[in-house]
Amino acid sequence: MSRYVEPSAIHGHVVVRDVTVIDPLDGRGSSGQDVVIEGNRITSVTATGAAVGGAHVVEGRGRFVVPAYSDMHLHALNTPDDVDGTYALMLANGVVGFRQMSGNRALLKSRREDTLPRPTGAPALKATAGDLLTPLNASTVDGAVKAVREQHRDGADFVKAAMTTRATFLAALEEANRLGIRLGGHLPADLDPREAARAGVWSIEHLGPGVTVFAAASSKEGEVRATNAARKLPPIPKVRIPGAEKLAMKLIKGMVTNPATSTSEREAHAYDLADGSYDQQKAEELAALFVEHSTWQCPTLIRVRTQQFGDAPEYTQDPRRRFMAAGELRTWDKSARKFAKLPPATRDALGHHWAAQLRMTKTFADAGVPMVAGTDACGAAGIIPGFALHDEFDLLAEAGLDPLTILRMTTTEPARFLDEEGAFGRVAPGMPADLVLLDEDPLGDHTALRKIAGVMRDGHWWSGADLAAVLERVAADPGAH
């Protein structure tokens, strides 16, 4: 059960009648369709006909149905004992699947034993990492290799590199490839992204982060790399003592609320240098290499924007903050005050870099670089779970991506990304009954993706009014998001 989501009264045998079905794979909309659901699966999609006896009917005339959305960069299970609020916000925004980007042995054990919380309307955990690769467990090549082996043994779906060096990253990647487990995440400052792609990295998050990827698209690449010194990390215990992991994660959490608050003048100069020497031809060559090696990108534009404009009113005064717990908001506000104290030149460099990130995202999309949508919600300042995915859609559109590409990045592309192509992400017979009913055509404008008339999760239907009630219950008693 969930303290926010009431059980659905409509489930079992359901027909979404006379609706336009949008197929992200071919980019077509088929009007006058009946989508028939039995249990938690779609059984047929056919031209509208006679009502099916005994079925609950959801009226779809004049509306559009799309596969429900997936967020491919999330930290919902950082607080597994208080995840109801996050899950409720996701349901209300049509998000029914996610990739957990930070885990641990306890989380992996809970998943193996099927004891993870699964409140009403909860999204599907599509994949999870184990412990992040940091100086705590991967400060040396041997340590990085050992960490990968442990995560593979414990059943992680992938390994996430968070704070590594070129040497430890490449050692971990080589071992991951040998074991057949994927590795992705943050590229270290001293690693050429082309080297990572050729070595088989699965995914790059946040367009780098930092200036690492942008150095490869600079006419002054050597100078940018020389300036782009690795950031000093907080002192993290390297000796395994009781409580060391919790201490390390507390230190890391302080950084990840908004890493931009620790931007040095040297880093700011690297941004300016990279952005002022941008070379479109080199950017396109990098994109072609990513295509060649199937190097996935999860841009998380909402994450990089909230970082680089850390005290902007649209985040510090966002009315949707009412859905967040008071303690979380205090952490965010403390981070915003710290950001406001950065030197003007540093703030300018961060702000100016936004245009470069939009440009790079469009270059990747135009080249056919595989990309998925993600938000980095749960712990990141200014990012509201569920709603943030729609913010991401807006920013992808600002970068110049068309509505169909955006829809694919949250439906069919996640399935392909996770090697589950054909298992979810379409409205078709045999697919999971995870649907979003929209009032407007998402092929005409991406903003239609937030015009939600109802959500079906695992064969259970919540109307727009039901979802509005869910949001009000969250606002009345926010949990730890």
Side-chain angles (χ1 to χ4, degrees), residues 189-470:
D190 57 347
L191 178 63
D192 184 334
R194 291 165 293 209
E195 188 175 13
R198 292 187 180 107
V201 69
W202 176 40
S203 68
I204 296 173
E205 313 297 315
H206 320 303
L207 298 175
V211 78
T212 307
V213 168
F214 294 87
S218 166
S219 62
K220 298 180 179 179
E221 181 173 355
E223 189 177 350
V224 173
R225 292 200 182 285
T227 306
N228 186 35
R231 177 176 291 187
K232 289 184 179 181
L233 301 177
I236 295 176
K238 295 181 176 62
V239 179
R240 293 293 181 119
I241 59 175
E245 286 85 357
K246 289 186 177 180
L247 173 60
M249 292 312 298
K250 184 176 182 179
L251 291 168
I252 291 170
K253 177 177 172 56
M255 287 184 62
V256 302
T257 301
N258 183 356
T261 60
S262 299
T263 304
S264 67
E265 291 184 13
R266 186 180 178 91
E267 286 177 286
H269 179 58
Y271 282 120
D272 283 338
L273 191 59
D275 296 343
S277 58
Y278 177 79
D279 186 320
Q280 181 63 29
Q281 182 177 336
K282 291 191 70 175
E284 291 173 2
E285 290 170 353
L286 177 63
L289 185 72
F290 287 161
V291 172
E292 177 186 354
H293 292 279
S294 297
T295 306
W296 286 82
Q297 307 290 318
C298 187
T300 65
L301 294 178
I302 182 59
R303 171 56 154 159
V304 296
R305 196 181 194 287
T306 52
Q307 287 181 170
Q308 291 157 209
F309 299 90
D311 60 348
E314 59 261 39
Y315 305 125
T316 61
Q317 299 174 27
D318 187 341
R320 301 172 303 179
R321 283 165 52 105
R322 69 192 183 105
F323 300 118
M324 304 304 297
E328 186 78 354
L329 294 178
R330 285 193 294 271
T331 300
W332 290 6
D333 291 342
K334 180 180 178 181
S335 177
R337 291 191 295 271
K338 184 177 179 181
F339 183 89
K341 295 177 181 178
L342 287 172
T346 299
R347 290 166 56 94
D348 287 347
L350 290 167
H352 293 155
H353 188 55
W354 175 241
Q357 290 163 316
L358 294 178
R359 179 175 55 201
M360 189 69 84
T361 301
K362 181 65 161 61
T363 296
F364 288 167
D366 288 347
V369 175
M371 294 197 292
V372 286
T375 65
D376 212 1
C378 304
I383 300 181
I384 318 292
F387 290 98
L389 192 60
H390 295 279
D391 296 338
E392 183 71 4
F393 299 158
D394 289 342
L395 297 177
L396 292 168
E398 184 180 340
L401 276 60
D402 62 84
L404 178 57
T405 297
I406 294 170
L407 177 60
R408 285 173 173 161
M409 286 176 65
T410 197
T411 54
T412 51
E413 287 299 88
R416 192 163 73 93
F417 179 53
L418 298 173
D419 291 333
E420 293 188 48
E421 195 168 10
F424 69 95
R426 298 181 68 196
V427 181
M431 291 286 175
D434 293 330
L435 311 171
V436 179
L437 187 65
L438 303 171
D439 285 326
E440 297 180 10
D441 184 359
L443 298 179
D445 193 318
H446 79 280
T447 58
L449 296 174
R450 62 160 47 94
K451 307 293 177 58
I452 295 175
V455 172
M456 177 170 283
R457 165 66 183 130
D458 202 30
H460 297 257
W461 171 257
W462 286 271
S463 69
D466 294 332
L467 299 175
V470 167

Side-chain angles (χ1 to χ4, degrees), residues 133-158:
L133 297 187
T134 70
L136 178 69
N137 60 356
S139 61
T140 65
V141 165
D142 289 345
V145 169
K146 181 182 178 184
V148 171
R149 290 174 181 168
E150 289 175 347
Q151 293 195 38
H152 178 258
R153 177 200 66 202
D154 292 341
D157 299 298
F158 66 99

Side-chain angles (χ1 to χ4, degrees), residues 73-142:
H73 191 122
L74 197 71
H75 294 271
L77 289 171
N78 285 11
T79 54
D81 295 330
D82 192 3
V83 74
D84 283 22
T86 292
Y87 283 174
L89 294 176
M90 292 170 73
L91 177 69
N93 284 279
V95 186
V96 304
F98 69 103
R99 179 175 60 139
Q100 172 71 18
M101 295 303 293
S102 51
N104 50 50
R105 288 183 180 179
L107 177 63
L108 294 173
K109 182 175 184 289
S110 293
R111 188 180 62 165
R112 286 197 306 272
E113 297 176 351
D114 196 26
T115 57
L116 286 173
R118 195 175 295 136
T120 305
L125 172 60
K126 294 295 187 181
T128 182
D131 291 301
L132 303 176
L133 297 187
T134 70
L136 178 69
N137 60 356
S139 61
T140 65
V141 165
D142 289 345

Side-chain angles (χ1 to χ4, degrees), residues 28-99:
R28 296 180 182 175
S30 301
S31 60
Q33 301 292 299
D34 283 355
V35 181
V36 181
I37 293 96
E38 294 280 0
N40 62 358
R41 292 279 162 179
I42 299 170
T43 57
S44 67
V45 180
T46 58
T48 297
V52 181
H56 297 277
V57 176
V58 174
E59 185 57 59
R61 180 172 296 179
R63 289 173 168 158
F64 305 81
V65 69
V66 296
Y69 317 137
S70 292
D71 186 330
M72 286 290 100
H73 191 122
L74 197 71
H75 294 271
L77 289 171
N78 285 11
T79 54
D81 295 330
D82 192 3
V83 74
D84 283 22
T86 292
Y87 283 174
L89 294 176
M90 292 170 73
L91 177 69
N93 284 279
V95 186
V96 304
F98 69 103
R99 179 175 60 139

